[in-house]
Structure formats: C-alpha cells, structure tokens
Amino acid sequence: MASPSRTFAGLAVGSTFRSTGEIAVTAERIKSFAAEFDPQPIHLGAPDVLLDPSSEVIASGWHTAALSMRLVLDSDLPLLGRSLGVGVEAMSWRAPVRPGDRLRLEGTITEFRPSRSHAGRDVLKFRIAVYNQAGELTLEATHVALLARRGASPIVG
Amino acid sequence: MASPSRTFAGLAVGSTFRSTGEIAVTAERIKSFAAEFDPQPIHLGAPDVLLDPSSEVIASGWHTAALSMRLVLDSDLPLLGRSLGVGVEAMSWRAPVRPGDRLRLEGTITEFRPSRSHAGRDVLKFRIAVYNQAGELTLEATHVALLARRGASPIVG
C-alpha cells in the first residue's frame, strides 16, 4: 500500500495538536444559535424546570460541535483547507457549555492512510477533546476526513 | 427492568418519524455559517480548485448537522423539549448540500429503555436520514438522548 501523501507534512498517527487560542461563548450567541437550529427551552434561556430548575441557559450540543470544528481549523493541525469531512465516528457531549465559558481543543491523529475507495486521497482520523476554562471536558469526538493530494481529481464533482 | 416512562407516548423501537416541512438552504447562510464555524474555501464561496474546480460553494457538514437537529425538532417525534442530547454514535456526510437545496428528514427509533446510569431517565436512540429535494441522502446519523421523566431530578445540575 502506498504511503499517504507527502503534501501534509507533520501528519502521522500519534501526532497531537491543539487550538492556538480559545473561543468565548456568550449567552446571546447560545440563544441565537438555538433559535435557528435547536429551539429547546434549555438552550433558549427558558430552561424547563423538569430538566433543570436552577440552571441558566446551556449551549446546544450542535453549537459546541460547530465550535469544535472552528477550534480544529484554528489549531496547529495543517489541514490547509484541503480536507473534506466524511463523518464522525462518535461524539459525546460530556459537560454543558454555559455563557462565559472559554473553549479550547486538544487532538490526536489516530489514523492516516491512503483511501481505499477514493484514488488520490488519504483518510485522516483524529480524536478531539474540547475543554472549558476550568479544564472540564465538554465534548469529545473522532472525526474522519478525506485529504486531497495535489493534482488529484475533485473530491466533490 | 422497568419500562420506559409513559410520559412519551408513541415512542417505541421501530417507530418512524419525519420532518413536517423542509428547510431551504441559501448561499448566504452557507457562507455566514462557514465564516463563523468552518472557514474553509469550499464553504466560503471560494472553492479550492484542488478539491473542486467546477463546483459552487457547499455547506459545512456542521451546518447540515445543525439543520438536522432542527428537522428532528420540527418532526412528529414528540421530544417535547424534555430531551438532552448525549451524543452521536456515528454521523456520515453522504452528499454535499448546495445553495437552493431543500432538506427533509426521516427517522427511526432504534432503542428506548431506562437509563442504567441516570435514575429517572430513559435512553432514546434514533437513526436519522436527511434528504435533499432530489431524494438524495445528504446526512445520516444515530443520535443518543436522555429523556427526563416528570418529577425526576434535573439532568443538568
């Protein structure tokens, strides 16, 4: 089997990466994201007393998931805009994200090999963990992406 | 083992549900979502010629994923705002979502049982499939949620 593309120097199984900064989460954005994508009381600022009589609003898990993608791109993982997400093998929301939280990401490459089904592509899998400012794990997931090599035909045609 | 809560009438393994309407996806929202969460050329309206020399912009997979949550809430699955997402067992982006696409969802309940780790909760798993207006599968996933029963203590404390 061929080696993965040399285009992506530094990508190897076991390599780790981390976000270069943090993303601060505001109550306003939690609520507006929820209004568009996940309009449940607990994300809109009107928590259901059955679920949580005392809490303030918490972010939609899909908001946290989208922010995790931004943290991947803002990390030292050299995706270079040439990756295409194929899917997620598993994703868990481990602790709520609340207004004022600052999120950061750590990741590890778990697989990097030529694609069996897409000529000229490599498959990259990486595990991510998103932490809040207290070091609490809020989300973990394993992402699967296809990487195009230079000169290969389009992934999306 | 106790039966799942009677609160959620109509939830049973094998039950199917579908979105009550469609969501139309615009180029403007594809680009603005990407600018915030997934700023890669192919989602921003400047596709990388390496990935795709001919295509127009395609939606971030995280945009499609967030829309799938909205389609679940806009379906006849009676979550009633009392569910809390725990995670996703697997999610695959099967075909690109492009400007002008209209998305709809079909789902099937695959598991519904009392939680082993959270007293007073039920675990609900459901498989979803998001289709575009041409009937093409764009996203599939299995979601895992906790449902609170009436009178149970908060899921989020």
Side-chain angles (χ1 to χ4, degrees), chain A residues 29 35-38 50-53 62 69-70 73 82 86-89 91 93 98 149 151 154-156, chain B residues 29 35-38 50-53 69-70 73 82 86-89 91 93 98 149 151 154-157:
Chain A
R29 191 65 188 107
E36 183 175 5
F37 296 113
D38 195 356
L50 180 66
L51 279 173
D52 185 354
W62 298 97
M69 184 67 221
R70 179 61 190 252
L73 293 172
R82 291 201 179 75
V86 172
V88 172
E89 287 197 338
M91 181 165 66
W93 294 294
R98 302 178 188 279
R149 299 177 192 164
I155 287 180
V156 180
Chain B
R29 190 65 188 108
E36 182 175 5
F37 296 114
D38 196 354
L50 179 66
L51 279 173
D52 185 355
M69 183 66 222
R70 180 60 190 253
L73 293 173
R82 292 200 177 75
V86 172
V88 172
E89 288 196 340
M91 181 165 66
W93 294 294
R98 302 178 188 279
R149 299 179 192 164
I155 287 180
V156 180

Side-chain angles (χ1 to χ4, degrees), chain A residues 87-146:
Chain A
V88 172
E89 287 197 338
M91 181 165 66
S92 297
W93 294 294
R94 301 292 299 273
V97 171
R98 302 178 188 279
D101 280 359
R102 300 187 310 277
L103 303 180
R104 65 183 179 79
L105 175 140
E106 296 182 5
T108 306
I109 295 174
T110 56
E111 198 168 330
F112 184 42
R113 58 169 175 78
S115 168
R116 287 183 280 262
S117 52
H118 294 80
R121 313 282 183 278
D122 296 319
V123 172
L124 180 72
K125 297 187 185 182
F126 51 91
R127 182 152 190 75
I128 62 165
V130 177
Y131 299 94
N132 64 20
Q133 67 285 351
E136 202 177 8
L137 180 63
T138 65
L139 176 149
E140 54 184 352
T142 296
H143 289 204
V144 185
L146 276 181

Side-chain angles (χ1 to χ4, degrees), chain A residues 39-84:
Chain A
Q40 301 193 78
I42 202 167
H43 306 313
L44 291 169
D48 189 308
V49 293
L50 180 66
L51 279 173
D52 185 354
S54 61
S55 159
E56 60 182 335
V57 63
I58 65 171
S60 166
W62 298 97
H63 189 179
T64 309
L67 288 171
S68 77
M69 184 67 221
R70 179 61 190 252
L71 287 166
V72 168
L73 293 172
D74 289 351
S75 78
D76 51 2
L77 179 70
L79 288 186
L80 300 171
R82 291 201 179 75
S83 74
L84 193 72

